[in-house]
């Protein structure tokens, strides 16, 4: 069989994280500067399937993987879907530049890349379609994140900007006026499952307060969609700033993220917010040609471990 490979992008959530778990809308975009890359190549007859996880510097056999190993989980699901009773004799190599547990969808991107490369390997170069990949990746996300909304696998499997509401058809839209975001990494790895679990406990303790906060976040995501569709980038900064304030109120920010948000805005960003599960991971700040260098410098001075600048709206499929 011929070697195959596939890649999947990272993502950032522009608006609506956490509230999206409770049925409110959210907006997410792929970030193609960071990627997961999976490669499948033949191994000796009888060798079984072996993983090489480059970032973790690990090599292990599928047959010896722990039951909850995420790479093994996606492989098993692809095999079941393709009605294969045994794994091929192959090496599956995974290499990713997406920070792990950094709110950029690393888990969903790794699963997506593996599902595409492996299904293409077993199917004469033809990978499974996006809908099926999305569904299989969501099944794995559920094992590791408890109650995921499904936004990560959706934005990554379809590789397009999405307006996502749980249980509804995926909506996408065009962004006529592209804009730049600085994505600053706190360097703090914070598993999404823990933040999502803590929000659930807080919501159970104070349902009315949390429902109000989720409603406010959902309204921001709705208003942001209108602003993006109109090309009214000037309205986005305030919406992002307000979304961050609400995320602080639901308890998923941390001093490091707040310091980065403050520093970005003081250096000229029209608005900044945490992105993803929070408590660490990444902060996104709206920037433009006039302030991008100043904001980048300010973020690094305020403790960011790295800052990447990405463009939203260019080449979106509508
Ligand atoms: O931390 P990330 O990139 O996995 O984003 C999680 C987004 C949440 O809304 C917090 C959880 C979810 O399942 O939607």
């Amino acid at each position: 069989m011929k070697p195959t490979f596939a890649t999947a992008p990272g993502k950032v959530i522009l608006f609506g994280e956490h509230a999206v778990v409770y049925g409110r809308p959210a907006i997410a975009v792929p970030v193609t500067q960071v990627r997961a890359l999976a490669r499948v190549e033949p191994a000796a007859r009888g060798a079984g399937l072996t993983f090489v996880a480059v970032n973790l510097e690990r090599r292990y056999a599928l047959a010896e993987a722990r039951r909850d190993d995420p790479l093994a989980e996606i492989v098993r699901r692809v095999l079941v879907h393709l009605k294969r009773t045994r794994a091929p004799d192959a090496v599956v190599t995974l290499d990713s530049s997406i920070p792990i547990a950094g709110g950029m969808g690393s888990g969903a991107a790794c699963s997506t890349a593996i599902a595409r490369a492996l299904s293409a390997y077993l199917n004469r170069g033809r990978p499974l379609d996006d809908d099926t990949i999305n569904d299989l990746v969501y099944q794995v996300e559920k094992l590791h994140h408890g109650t995921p909304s499904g936004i990560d696998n959706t934005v990554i499997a379809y590789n397009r900007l999405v307006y996502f509401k749980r249980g509804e058809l995926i909506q996408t839209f065009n962004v006529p006026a592209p804009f730049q975001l600085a994505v600053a990494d706190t360097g703090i790895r914070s598993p999404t499952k823990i933040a999502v679990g803590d929000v659930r406990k807080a919501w159970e303790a104070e349902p009315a307060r949390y429902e109000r906060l989720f409603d406010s976040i959902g309204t921001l995501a709705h208003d942001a969609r209108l602003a993006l569709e109109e090309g009214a980038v000037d309205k986005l900064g305030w919406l992002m700033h307000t979304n961050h304030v609400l995320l602080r109120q639901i308890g998923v920010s941390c001093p490091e993220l707040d310091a980065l948000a403050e520093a970005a805005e003081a250096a000229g960003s029209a608005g900044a917010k945490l992105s993803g599960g929070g408590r660490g991971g990444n902060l996104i700040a709206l920037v433009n040609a006039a302030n991008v260098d100043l904001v980048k410098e300010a973020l690094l001075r305020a403790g960011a471990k790295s800052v990447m600048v990405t463009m939203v709206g260019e080449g979106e499929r509508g």
Side-chain angles (χ1 to χ4, degrees), residues 11 13 17-18 20-21 103-105 147-152 192 196 276-277:
K11 68 102 222 304
I13 298 183
E17 48 275 271
H18 287 288
V20 69
V21 175
M104 292 194 78
T147 54
S149 62
I151 191 168
D152 274 22
T192 302
V196 169

Side-chain angles (χ1 to χ4, degrees), residues 30-222:
V31 175
T32 48
Q33 283 104 323
V34 285
R35 294 200 150 265
L37 171 71
R39 187 179 156 83
V40 183
E41 53 205 327
R45 210 191 174 101
L49 189 145
T50 305
F51 292 110
V52 176
V54 175
N55 308 94
L56 304 176
E57 296 182 4
R58 275 190 70 204
R59 187 185 176 100
Y60 57 102
L62 172 65
E64 287 155 17
R66 284 171 42 162
R67 265 222 68 73
D68 61 352
D69 180 274
L71 308 190
E73 287 292 350
I74 188 69
V75 163
R76 288 191 201 107
R77 277 170 170 71
V78 170
L79 294 174
V80 168
H81 185 85
L82 294 174
K83 302 192 172 46
R84 298 277 173 154
T85 47
R86 56 179 289 275
D89 298 323
V91 178
V92 176
T93 304
L94 183 72
D95 195 356
S96 170
S97 53
I98 308 171
I100 296 171
M104 292 194 78
S106 144
C110 291
S111 298
T112 301
I114 289 181
R116 279 215 180 99
L118 181 63
S119 59
Y121 185 80
L122 295 169
N123 210 12
R124 296 202 193 103
R126 287 192 312 271
L128 288 166
D129 61 68
D130 290 352
D131 292 341
T132 308
I133 298 271
N134 184 36
D135 185 51
L136 296 176
V137 175
Y138 183 51
Q139 291 177 27
V140 175
E141 291 280 290
K142 279 203 268 197
L143 293 172
H144 297 280
H145 294 301
T147 54
S149 62
I151 191 168
D152 274 22
N153 46 285
T154 302
V155 63
I156 288 167
Y158 295 95
N159 191 14
R160 57 167 63 182
L161 181 148
V162 292
Y163 183 80
F164 181 91
K165 217 171 154 186
R166 220 172 166 165
E168 289 189 4
L169 282 179
I170 300 147
Q171 299 177 45
T172 186
F173 58 90
N174 285 323
V175 176
F179 59 93
Q180 282 182 305
L181 286 179
V183 183
D185 189 354
T186 58
I188 303 168
R189 299 291 158 245
S190 165
T192 302
K193 189 176 182 168
I194 296 177
V196 169
D198 288 351
V199 171
R200 184 157 298 270
K201 278 185 219 133
W203 171 73
E204 280 164 2
E206 287 182 283
R209 173 163 174 257
Y210 272 74
E211 285 294 322
R212 272 198 305 277
L213 288 166
F214 296 150
D215 278 343
S216 304
I217 293 175
T219 304
L220 288 178
H222 171 266

